[in-house]
Amino acid sequence: MFPELNNLLNTTPDRAEQGKLTLLCDAKTDGSFLVHHFLSFYLKANCKVCFVALIQSFSHYNIVGQKLGVNLTMARERGQLVFLEGLKSAVDVFFQAQEKPHPLQFLREASAGNLKPLFEFVRDALKPVDSGAAGWTYPVLLVDDLSVLLSLGLGAVAVLDFIHYCRATLCWELKGNVVVLVHDSGDVEDEENDILLNGLSHQSHLILRAEGLATGFCRDVHGQLRILWRRPSQSTSQRDQSLTYQYKIQDRSVSFFAKGMSPAVL
């Protein structure tokens, strides 16, 4: 994980908050470094993690995870990590007979309806285990990324319903966390994606938005990160707090600095 990002969020694995929905968003840049951070963060916090990976393969996440100090293969073998590899699972749905509903069963439906099988997969993966089994601190659902579900034919309402049920089970009943990534299509006319992004923004306790630079590519500044904390229980004046930093992604870390304070600028 990236220590500098932990410092910005004022959190560490041993005192991570529970019962929260975190929205990761990227616009005109790649926000996958945020997914890798939270995956390694929660594994180091001894959480039970269900990772719905719809973009990359398991080996990709495992290689990056090793650079950040976690071994996804070992975590999966000991039952801490439940990994749904979307790319491989999609092939199984189309070409292999299924004895029971597949988490991505909607791919075989003439009109994509709901994500009930996917929710049931997440619920079963993260349900409390017997006292004799390994005990994890709390459950976490991580999705990379929800925008893919829209591209596969699902509507924004169906995806929001899926997140609602996941929150009800994980955040409220089990006091766990949900972390999801959504792309911001920006200038592109995409009403469904806008509905999804706005709906999740209103539900989220923390929003991390990675943005490309308005000036274009820069070798020493890769983008800027907007951090928004939302505290519904606080008074109106203290409800939302936001900060903006620029960042540079390195091989094993990410450096953050105030806007205009990059060494390249100085």
Side-chain angles (χ1 to χ4, degrees):
M1 60 186 171
F2 308 125
E4 283 196 45
L5 184 54
N6 284 337
N7 292 336
L8 296 182
L9 300 178
N10 192 29
T11 186
T12 56
D14 60 341
R15 59 189 184 98
E17 290 189 283
Q18 297 174 243
K20 306 297 184 183
L21 170 63
T22 298
L23 173 62
L24 312 179
C25 176
D26 56 15
K28 298 181 179 180
T29 191
D30 182 7
S32 60
F33 71 95
L34 296 172
V35 174
H36 295 299
H37 165 77
F38 280 98
L39 177 59
S40 61
F41 176 88
Y42 285 117
L43 289 177
K44 289 183 177 180
N46 200 37
C47 297
K48 178 70 176 290
V49 179
C50 178
F51 188 11
V52 178
L54 303 174
I55 292 293
Q56 299 286 355
S57 65
F58 177 83
S59 60
H60 168 81
Y61 294 104
N62 192 35
I63 290 172
V64 178
Q66 289 178 350
K67 293 182 179 181
L68 301 179
V70 294
N71 189 314
L72 269 60
T73 301
M74 293 182 60
R76 185 166 64 173
E77 289 176 351
R78 66 174 178 260
Q80 183 184 10
L81 174 65
V82 178
F83 190 92
L84 177 62
E85 190 168 355
L87 297 175
K88 181 179 178 181
S89 296
V91 176
D92 295 339
V93 172
F94 284 119
F95 298 107
Q96 295 184 14
Q98 305 294 324
E99 297 181 358
K100 58 182 180 179
H102 191 278
L104 303 182
Q105 185 66 31
F106 70 90
L107 292 172
R108 292 185 63 93
E109 299 173 356
S111 58
N114 61 66
L115 290 169
K116 183 179 179 181
L118 182 58
F119 164 72
E120 292 175 344
F121 170 82
V122 172
R123 181 194 61 195
D124 293 343
L126 297 176
K127 64 183 179 182
V129 296
D130 297 333
S131 58
W136 313 111
T137 52
Y138 55 86
V140 174
L141 169 63
L142 179 61
V143 184
D144 183 20
D145 69 83
L146 283 178
S147 299
V148 172
L149 297 175
L150 301 181
S151 302
L152 294 174
L154 284 164
V157 174
V159 179
L160 287 171
D161 285 345
F162 165 69
I163 294 299
H164 170 75
Y165 283 105
C166 289
R167 287 185 63 209
T169 301
L170 298 179
C171 298
W172 299 333
E173 293 182 17
L174 303 179
K175 305 303 179 184
N177 289 333
V178 176
V179 181
V180 298
L181 174 69
V182 178
H183 291 298
D184 185 350
S185 52
D187 299 332
V188 180
E189 194 72 25
D190 191 342
E191 182 178 353
E192 288 294 300
N193 196 80
D194 291 342
I195 293 174
L196 176 61
L197 189 57
N198 290 334
L200 291 173
S201 297
H202 288 294
Q203 302 177 49
S204 301
H205 298 85
L206 172 65
I207 302 174
L208 300 179
R209 178 182 173 88
E211 302 173 336
L213 297 174
T215 54
F217 174 78
C218 177
R219 184 180 62 182
D220 296 291
V221 182
H222 292 157
Q224 68 179 19
L225 181 68
R226 298 181 184 270
I227 306 173
L228 174 63
W229 291 272
R230 307 192 71 228
R231 303 179 176 88
S233 60
Q234 300 293 328
S235 62
T236 304
S237 60
Q238 299 176 335
R239 183 169 299 168
D240 296 342
Q241 178 185 359
S242 63
L243 295 172
T244 301
Y245 294 90
Q246 292 181 334
Y247 64 85
K248 178 181 180 181
I249 300 176
Q250 298 166 330
D251 187 41
R252 298 174 183 270
S253 64
V254 178
S255 297
F256 294 90
F257 35 82
K259 296 177 65 175
M261 296 300 291
S262 166
V265 177
L266 298 177

